[in-house]
Amino acid sequence: MPNLNTAEKNFLNQITQLVEENISNEQFGVSELADAVGMSRSNLLRKIKKITDLSASQFIRNVRLKYAVELLQEGSDTVSEVSYKVGFGSPSYFIKCFRELYGYPPGEIGNQEEPEEEQEQEIETEQDLKAPMQKKKFPVLLISIFFITICAVVLFFVLRPDTQNSNKVKSIAVLPFLNDSNDTSNVYIINGLMEATLNNLQQIQDLRVISRTSVEQYRNNPKSSPEIARELNATYLIEGSGQKIGDQILLNIQLIEAETDKHLWSQQYRRETKDIFTLQADVAKNIAEQIEAIVTPEETQRIEKKPTSNLAAYDLFLKGLDLHRNPTDENLLESISYFKKAIQQDNEFARAYAGVAISFYFLDRGRTVKQYADSINYYADQALFFDAKLPQSLTAKALFYIEHNEYELALPYLEKALEISPNSDVVLIFLVEIYVNYLPNTEKYLEYALKGLEIKNVAAYDSAAKSISYLHLSNAFIQSGFINEAEKYINISLSYQPENLYSQYVKAFIQYAKNQDMNELNKALLAIFEKDKTRLDVLQEVAKSYYYLRDFETAAIYYKAFVDVREQYNLNINQSENGKIAVTFDITGQKELSEKYFDQYRLYAENDPSIYSNISLAFYYSYQGDTDKAIEYLEAFSLEDNFTYWTILFTPIEPLTDNLREHPQYKKVFHEIENKFDAYHKRIEKSLQGKGLL
């Protein structure tokens, strides 16, 4: 390696060895590597970037992929097994990264020449590491926007439906099954058959399956099939009815082409109760076959897998599941009782263990003092032990981490669950919540907001739910720099719920993005605050607008009211605002308060697990006058991806950065940040334009 000196080679060898020692640990990332090598995160980022011209996360990923090549060449493991062995939480993401690096999928490893860099005995140089990607620029671009493209396809079909049968979107709504018997005690079995059909279809990647919450309102609804289909944006409807007579299950299924109300296929199934699992699998496979959906061997295997071999256990589970559909505290506790009884019948019943864990989570949700954390963990672990690829097992474990605010640990489980069940609205709801509130990631937020809109079909919801759904989509678009699209969807949100104050002030910020008139933003926020002076979030935004206007005397009044309420009720919210609060109190002569909030801001920035830690520290050291240190942190932030459009809009007018803007390197570094955001925005824009959406 002629371009590297001995110290650099030794350093690369050292960090490569550390990654290899933790190769199967998907949680071993940049922070963990920095701790292991005894460096700060920012210094590690800079050093790896300098030597390899790669980000630290890219470097770690490439080491994992090199090791994957060795395992694949041995031929003893499948691609999925190798992906988990080298620390990828998702086989599909592993395949994507592998193709980006080597130019072909891992499944073709035996048909390709050995990757050139694998023949080297030393760590790759910058050119070696990047060469495979440079040779495949166009395919890499396509792969890198794969998930966003999928989301774009969703809206494409919603906004411009096809008229050719061969090109119809395979969009299915499974309507609530009807009980044909006068015996209402067996309703839970019919509901269970509907739920199983829905769950099985949700696991087929080639389908868009409307969520159960969207279709439930049509249980006793007299609307026609075309009306229901229009409201749900569904191409096909599944209607079902059945009854249990002794040891026999009689089930009638109809497949309807929604647009024409034409019955394309119907089937009557008569099976013994002991064959209920075969019945459920056959229904899903037959439906997929009729609409010519692609069902992979893995999907078929998952559909055909029996949840338990004990029919008594399954009967108890269905009773618990029926109660879980209406999750009041009383129903949740009763459902847990049934799930536990099912486990007594079959102590390896993963779905029942997951049901207990998920029910306990919803009992604890919203409570300050958590009562069931240990129980959630125990039952989730049991579910994973008996079926680590069951979406409910993975979701249950994710909820344990969410219960403890460990969102980074929850993500791999949710991503795996979504990979296995790509139409799961429950998983998407948690992913959107994490990526918008706890681990901000604009690209993921937009991706999952679009995907959620696809399968939830908000047209079937009440006005408040519609308003919130379109608010999320608008917020996702503006964070990615799509001003016109954000304005479009925020207006839709407000049309459903004009009194939604959150939508009102998001619209105010969208208007600021259009005209960058801070006085207008300030007036809009004041008008919103006058409507409800109990809204702490709006109070804080009003204070911030005065802060940006550099009217620090007025900002201090609002910030003082904000922090008084926050401390009175011991609310751990908006800690990122403490820097602005400290500046405001400093300039208005309240030095003791200023020092207090600067200390809190520094501690927050140092411990912030999100991508914004470095820019927060840059702001802190800028105001303290240590601009060299501030520029180091800003340079480290410039290596990050998926930051919000607000970073570009507000950093240039941020009072915390007054000193930093005098640094000779500031313009260059901030220009790099602007360029990175612009490239990210254009990448997504190109994808959406390719589908006729922009």
Side-chain angles (χ1 to χ4, degrees):
M1 296 177 288
N3 296 329
L4 300 182
N5 58 42
T6 301
E8 289 172 333
K9 291 179 183 179
N10 290 340
F11 172 72
L12 286 180
N13 278 319
Q14 180 187 9
I15 60 175
T16 299
Q17 183 178 349
L18 287 168
V19 175
E20 289 176 344
E21 289 173 356
N22 294 274
I23 200 74
S24 62
N25 180 5
E26 62 187 273
Q27 303 303 325
F28 189 83
V30 178
S31 297
E32 290 73 19
L33 180 59
D35 290 341
V37 80
M39 297 176 65
S40 69
R41 190 171 184 271
S42 57
N43 286 339
L44 178 69
L45 291 169
R46 285 195 299 274
K47 191 163 185 176
I48 292 178
K49 182 71 173 178
K50 177 182 177 182
I51 297 174
T52 67
D53 199 28
L54 296 169
S55 69
S57 60
Q58 285 175 320
F59 178 85
I60 293 170
R61 187 171 64 212
N62 286 1
V63 173
R64 294 185 186 279
L65 291 170
K66 278 193 59 175
Y67 194 80
V69 170
E70 297 176 10
L71 294 178
L72 289 166
Q73 287 172 338
E74 292 175 2
S76 58
D77 295 316
T78 66
V79 170
S80 293
E81 289 170 339
V82 168
S83 71
Y84 293 120
K85 284 187 175 183
V86 297
F88 281 82
S90 162
S92 61
Y93 181 61
F94 167 71
I95 293 169
K96 168 184 175 291
C97 294
F98 192 98
R99 185 189 288 272
E100 286 182 0
L101 184 60
Y102 294 121
Y104 56 86
E108 297 180 9
I109 192 72
N111 302 323
Q112 302 287 339
E113 293 182 6
E114 186 178 0
E116 183 176 346
E117 64 267 34
E118 287 299 308
Q119 298 170 4
E120 298 290 337
Q121 297 302 310
E122 301 181 38
I123 302 300
E124 298 91 332
T125 63
E126 168 190 337
Q127 291 77 16
D128 292 329
L129 283 165
K130 297 182 72 176
M133 291 183 283
Q134 293 169 344
K135 294 174 183 176
K136 293 285 183 178
K137 284 184 178 179
F138 184 63
V140 167
L141 176 61
L142 291 179
I143 295 167
S144 67
I145 62 175
F146 174 78
F147 288 110
I148 295 300
T149 304
I150 291 296
C151 295
V153 171
V154 169
L155 290 184
F156 173 72
F157 285 118
V158 169
L159 299 176
R160 201 185 79 182
D162 289 307
T163 57
Q164 301 295 323
N165 282 346
S166 60
N167 293 324
K168 281 187 181 296
V169 184
K170 299 179 181 67
S171 168
I172 292 184
V174 181
L175 299 180
F177 289 3
L178 302 178
N179 178 31
D180 289 333
S181 170
N182 292 327
D183 185 359
T184 58
S185 65
N186 287 328
V187 169
Y188 73 93
I189 295 177
I190 305 304
N191 288 339
L193 289 169
M194 179 266 185
E195 189 83 18
T197 301
L198 182 69
N199 286 340
N200 285 334
L201 292 174
Q202 282 182 333
Q203 297 183 76
I204 300 175
Q205 181 74 49
D206 196 39
L207 298 180
R208 177 168 69 87
V209 184
I210 310 304
S211 71
R212 183 180 59 79
T213 51
S214 293
V215 301
E216 185 61 32
Q217 65 173 315
Y218 299 104
R219 180 174 292 278
N220 298 303
N221 196 305
K223 291 184 178 180
S224 67
S225 295
E227 287 178 306
I228 294 173
R230 279 195 299 272
E231 291 181 3
L232 293 174
N233 287 317
T235 311
Y236 303 101
L237 299 179
I238 301 296
E239 293 181 348
S241 64
Q243 58 183 309
K244 180 177 179 291
I245 306 173
D247 291 333
Q248 295 280 319
I249 294 176
L250 182 65
L251 183 65
N252 299 293
I253 298 293
Q254 294 186 80
L255 172 65
I256 301 170
E257 185 180 52
E259 185 178 0
T260 62
D261 201 17
K262 178 181 178 182
H263 287 57
L264 300 178
W265 168 80
S266 64
Q267 180 75 43
Q268 184 178 82
Y269 300 86
R270 184 183 293 273
R271 302 286 175 85
E272 293 184 16
T273 306
K274 66 179 182 179
D275 296 323
I276 189 171
F277 304 125
T278 305
L279 169 62
Q280 293 168 351
D282 286 348
V283 170
K285 289 189 294 182
N286 290 343
I287 292 170
E289 181 181 358
Q290 290 299 319
I291 61 175
E292 299 180 353
I294 298 171
V295 185
T296 67
E298 289 93 349
E299 290 166 350
T300 300
Q301 186 178 17
R302 286 196 290 267
I303 290 170
E304 293 178 345
K305 184 174 182 178
K306 294 181 180 180
T308 176
S309 58
N310 188 308
L311 291 178
Y314 190 65
D315 190 72
L316 290 163
F317 169 77
L318 289 181
K319 290 178 180 178
L321 187 64
D322 206 46
L323 288 162
H324 197 276
R325 293 190 182 96
N326 182 21
T328 63
D329 283 4
E330 182 181 357
N331 281 355
L332 288 170
L333 288 169
E334 193 173 354
S335 72
I336 289 170
S337 175
Y338 277 113
F339 293 147
K340 287 183 175 181
K341 290 176 182 177
I343 292 168
Q344 289 173 359
Q345 294 287 329
D346 177 4
N347 63 4
E348 297 183 3
F349 194 172
R351 185 75 192 278
Y353 282 111
V356 176
I358 293 170
S359 297
F360 274 134
Y361 171 81
F362 282 109
L363 281 171
D364 255 358
R365 188 172 172 88
R367 294 178 177 175
T368 304
V369 179
K370 306 299 185 183
Q371 299 180 30
Y372 302 111
D374 291 340
S375 295
I376 296 170
N377 191 37
Y378 170 77
Y379 284 100
D381 282 347
Q382 290 295 103
L384 281 171
F385 179 78
F386 291 115
D387 192 345
K389 294 184 179 180
L390 183 71
Q392 291 81 4
S393 299
L394 295 161
T395 302
K397 188 63 177 180
L399 295 183
F400 164 71
Y401 286 120
I402 291 174
E403 174 101 336
H404 290 274
N405 301 322
E406 295 176 316
Y407 302 103
E408 285 186 328
L409 297 176
L411 280 177
Y413 293 96
L414 291 173
E415 297 282 6
K416 286 182 189 177
L418 191 64
E419 177 193 345
I420 295 168
S421 186
N423 291 281
S424 173
D425 59 325
V426 173
V427 176
L428 283 165
I429 288 169
F430 285 114
L431 285 169
V432 167
E433 184 178 357
I434 288 174
Y435 281 124
V436 68
N437 292 324
Y438 306 110
L439 299 173
N441 183 309
T442 55
E443 185 168 0
K444 290 289 188 182
Y445 181 22
L446 180 55
E447 173 189 338
Y448 292 128
L450 285 167
K451 182 69 174 176
L453 188 67
E454 167 197 10
I455 65 171
K456 287 192 297 182
N457 278 282
V458 295
Y461 285 15
D462 60 30
S463 295
K466 290 175 184 176
S467 180
I468 292 170
S469 294
Y470 284 110
L471 164 63
H472 265 304
L473 191 55
S474 173
N475 198 29
F477 268 119
I478 192 60
Q479 288 192 15
S480 295
F482 292 93
I483 299 173
N484 293 332
E485 291 74 15
E487 185 176 38
K488 170 186 173 181
Y489 287 109
I490 203 64
N491 286 336
I492 295 174
S493 173
L494 286 166
S495 72
Y496 284 117
Q497 195 178 28
E499 68 277 12
N500 185 335
L501 295 190
Y502 190 83
S503 293
Q504 289 180 26
Y505 81 68
V506 168
K507 182 172 182 176
F509 277 96
I510 292 170
Q511 289 299 315
Y512 175 77
K514 291 183 67 175
N515 57 36
Q516 296 187 35
D517 186 333
M518 186 57 67
N519 284 298
E520 181 180 319
L521 174 61
N522 173 257
K523 290 177 183 177
L525 292 171
L526 281 170
I528 295 167
F529 185 58
E530 285 297 317
K531 297 176 183 178
D532 185 354
K533 292 190 176 181
T534 67
R535 288 289 295 266
L536 202 59
D537 53 346
V538 183
L539 171 63
Q540 177 251 311
E541 297 293 348
V542 170
K544 185 160 58 178
S545 67
Y546 279 113
Y547 168 83
Y548 282 127
L549 284 168
R550 296 176 184 263
D551 182 352
F552 296 107
E553 294 291 339
T554 308
I557 296 171
Y558 285 95
Y559 271 139
K560 186 65 167 61
F562 172 74
V563 297
D564 284 349
V565 174
R566 190 173 66 175
E567 292 178 7
Q568 179 183 352
Y569 293 100
N570 195 28
L571 301 174
N572 186 29
I573 60 172
N574 297 94
Q575 296 300 309
S576 61
E577 293 299 303
N578 285 340
K580 296 176 176 60
I581 294 168
V583 170
T584 301
F585 288 153
D586 182 41
I587 292 175
T588 56
Q590 303 176 69
K591 300 299 182 182
E592 186 174 343
L593 280 175
S594 175
E595 291 177 5
K596 170 185 174 181
Y597 288 108
F598 266 130
D599 287 342
Q600 291 183 11
Y601 180 60
R602 177 179 54 79
L603 288 172
Y604 159 79
E606 289 175 345
N607 294 286
D608 182 8
S610 80
I611 63 172
Y612 298 100
S613 174
N614 284 317
I615 197 169
S616 297
L617 288 168
F619 288 178
Y620 172 80
Y621 285 107
S622 168
Y623 198 79
Q624 299 301 319
D626 192 346
T627 56
D628 286 340
K629 196 166 188 176
I631 207 70
E632 286 183 12
Y633 281 110
L634 193 65
E635 286 175 339
F637 177 75
S638 72
L639 303 177
E640 300 287 0
D641 291 307
N642 299 320
F643 46 86
T644 70
Y645 185 45
W646 307 124
T647 304
I648 304 300
L649 281 183
F650 288 106
T651 299
I653 63 170
E654 171 60 64
L656 277 163
T657 64
D658 284 352
N659 293 329
L660 184 59
R661 286 195 290 275
E662 300 299 320
H663 195 284
Q665 292 296 312
Y666 171 78
K667 289 183 178 179
K668 175 179 177 295
V669 176
F670 190 71
H671 187 59
E672 290 174 357
I673 293 171
E674 289 177 314
N675 286 342
K676 178 162 283 192
F677 182 85
D678 187 54
Y680 155 78
H681 174 82
K682 287 179 178 177
R683 174 166 58 84
I684 298 178
E685 182 180 44
K686 184 176 180 180
S687 170
L688 296 178
Q689 285 177 338
K691 300 302 177 183
L693 297 173
L694 292 178

